[in-house]
Amino acid sequence: MIQQNINELEEKSIFILREANAKLKNIAVLWSMGKDSTAVLYLIKKAFNKVIFPVIHIDNGIDFPETYEFRDNLAKKWKLNLIVAKSEIKKEVSGFSCCGANKTAALKKVLNDNGFDGIIVSIRRDEHGIRAKERYMSLRDKNFKWNYKNQNVEIWNNYVTKIDKGNHIRIHPILDWNEIDVWNYIKKQNIPINPLYLSKNKYRFRSLGCTHCTSPIKSNARTIDEIIKELKSTKIEERSGRQQDKEKEYIMEKLRSIGYM
Amino acid sequence: MEKYKIVMLGEKDHGKSTLLANLLIASKSVSHERINEVKNISKKNKTRFEPAYILDAFSEERDLGMTIDTTRANIAYKNKLIELIDVPGHLELIKNMMTGASSSEIAVLVVSAKKNEGFKLETKRHLFLASMFNLKTVIIAVNKMDELDYNEKIFNRLKKQINDFLNMLDIKIKPIFIPISAYDNENLTVKSQKIKWYNGKSLLETITGLKNNKKGNGKNKNKIRVLIQDTFDENNKSFSGIIYSGKLIKNSKIKILPKNIKAKIKSVSFLNRSSKSSNLKNVLISFFDKDLGVKRGDIIYDLNSDPSYLDKFRAKIFLINNIDLKNLKNIKIIFNNNEFGINKINILKAISPLSGKLMDLKKIIKPDYSINAEINLNCRYPIEKFNEFEEFGRFLIFNKNKFAGIGIVF
């Protein structure tokens, strides 16, 4: 896996966060307690000296116990303004209906209730072909629709953030990062992580979702150094333990068209 | 690790996405899972294995066989990191192409050598834009040579056509020409055995052999140019900014334009001590004095240095849509995320970069022309020449809140 210069990545991410803060009025950040969104919370802390945005957890009630414990500890330690948005669990709990409909509905509600015009989302281009098409600041309409055929220009670090009422901007500060860059950064800055990423009984989680749709991978990596070493030589995609990506070729496109992250 | 930022340019169907995908596969930068997914879709669509599907991830892109929006992919080759940006080759999608080209240093322009494809309008437009985006190197990958028996004469004819065009328009680009077959992997990573008459290197070897692609402000690098991004504290004494040129030194005096505010620096702090390679260098600056009236968009200068322009400036602009000059209030100009209205635009010269013909334009500025104009902003703002301080000499043009084009100051 390709490693990039983390100082350079950090400079760009912080530039994007400060730019978003200067241009938008009411920003929140999504936090899944996964490695990417936790690294983004750290970047926000570094950009503004504290996590100045409300932190949203879309909680379907079926995350791992370790995840909830990690959330509560870090929320206390970093003095997070945590908003827990409960999402319903429908009967058919897998892929499209779970992550798509349920989480997105909960996010819509929390956005409407709070009037957020910007949401920081920790997606990366290397995760999926569709995410590789994203902008750093990406417009969503009231129905969360992503008009990917007519995206705004992003030329010379200029971002378009003019929006009509009810629409919002998805801010993607770590779009350029690769999976291994996130781990290198976590190691360098000593950022706390969810313990499920580390190997226990020869298994660890590489990508974390809820208890129903993510499964662990075989791994002996018990430290961050060992994770980095493992990633350097892996040939398997990060999200291979995720149900939703597997079901159909275009499931991610369908999820994103209705507003999924 | 040295990084090369490359945009893939060229007309639709000339093979950009195929080339990029095969580079990814050949350099082992894409997983088996992704390749298998594409194999399955190709099988389902009853087509031959289509490497372009790796990048064209939207179902619509695959169904139509075209790229709609930019994609980025990284490859590692012989200890060098190459970031490749694929862009659409359709005229209607030119703004997406511009988004991709603006963050690159090198262009690989894919031109099909096939008789009915060849050197066409979109390729000319892309060459012209490559010069506007100040891309340091343009590599022209002459593609589909497999379908032409790797014929040297056809390659040379195309090379001459392109060089003649660049000379006619006085575009200062000296391209490197490489014959390739994107689909058959000839001359992509290793030198092709099928093209004996070609003495140069393969595409990847050529790219990784390039030196000094980083943009920089050269002889002006000691002059201070720092863009104020935002206020940082309630006392209005510290600010976040981006250092584009020069060094900020504690206790030294500087001035802040356009209001010409003089101030003494109390402290300067960086995110990283050593981010020399980064073209964005964030900084937090605080001044001894408070309530100086410094605003987002202001620019810090050394006391003895001045901008090239303060309200009226000359620029070369390229539009993608018509602009009616009778309605100047609809037009906005964006310098570094800061928006300005304009009082006047005077067209000095309009030339078609596609045909080389001059055009008499007065009331309407048309797309597809290289237009030299004199522009008056509706307020004072420090503006630099593009070839002196690139970041302060380039702008976006919006008409009725829609992107209309770009400009560079001369």
Side-chain angles (χ1 to χ4, degrees), chain A residues 2-5 7-8 10-12 14-15 18-19 21-23 46-49 125-130 132-133 135-136 146 148-160 162 176 178 188 235-237 240 249-250 253, chain B residues 1 3 31 33-34 37 41 44 55 57-62 69-72 74-76 81 95-96 98-99 102 133 229-230 232 240 242 271-272 274-275 277-278 280-282 284 296 334 336-337 339 394-396 398 401 403:
Chain A
I2 295 163
Q3 302 184 70
Q4 305 177 77
N5 179 328
N7 286 352
E8 206 172 312
E10 183 192 48
E11 295 276 359
K12 176 88 179 252
I14 289 199
F15 172 78
R18 286 182 178 159
E19 203 56 39
N21 187 46
K23 291 179 90 138
K46 196 156 174 183
F48 306 103
N49 287 338
R125 284 202 186 93
D126 76 327
E127 286 177 290
H128 198 282
I130 300 280
K133 303 259 175 192
R135 296 285 191 267
Y136 300 106
W146 177 35
Y148 61 81
K149 275 193 277 183
N150 189 19
Q151 298 206 71
N152 282 324
V153 291
E154 285 190 346
I155 295 175
W156 296 321
N157 297 324
N158 286 287
Y159 306 109
V160 180
K162 275 203 179 126
D176 292 340
N178 291 334
K188 187 183 169 196
K235 295 257 178 291
I236 298 163
E237 293 219 336
S240 58
E249 286 89 1
Y250 298 122
E253 182 171 343
Chain B
M1 208 189 317
K3 188 172 181 178
S31 71
E33 276 173 316
R34 188 84 72 97
E37 187 200 354
I41 295 166
K44 238 181 251 173
L55 298 140
F58 293 133
S59 50
E60 204 170 339
E61 291 179 314
R62 289 170 178 171
D69 210 336
T70 60
T71 297
R72 295 188 197 207
N74 286 320
I75 66 178
L81 178 58
K95 70 185 174 91
N96 295 346
M98 290 162 88
T99 291
S102 68
F133 282 114
Q229 193 179 17
D230 211 351
F232 205 77
S240 59
I242 311 293
L271 294 181
N272 295 296
S274 62
S275 46
S277 59
S278 183
L280 278 173
K281 201 168 190 180
N282 293 282
L284 283 181
R296 168 172 160 81
I334 317 280
N336 286 314
N337 286 294
E339 190 179 291
R394 59 193 191 190
F395 56 91
L396 273 53
F398 281 75
N401 285 329
F403 175 70

Side-chain angles (χ1 to χ4, degrees), chain B residues 370-382:
Chain B
S370 164
I371 295 163
N372 289 353
E374 199 164 60
I375 300 172
N376 292 52
L377 292 184
N378 65 357
C379 63
R380 281 161 66 86
Y381 190 66

Side-chain angles (χ1 to χ4, degrees), chain B residues 2 4 105-106 136-137 209-216:
Chain B
E2 205 166 343
Y4 298 83
E105 291 143 2
I106 301 164
K136 295 288 181 227
T137 307
L210 293 171
K211 296 235 152 55
N212 295 327
N213 289 293
K214 288 273 171 289
K215 295 174 177 178

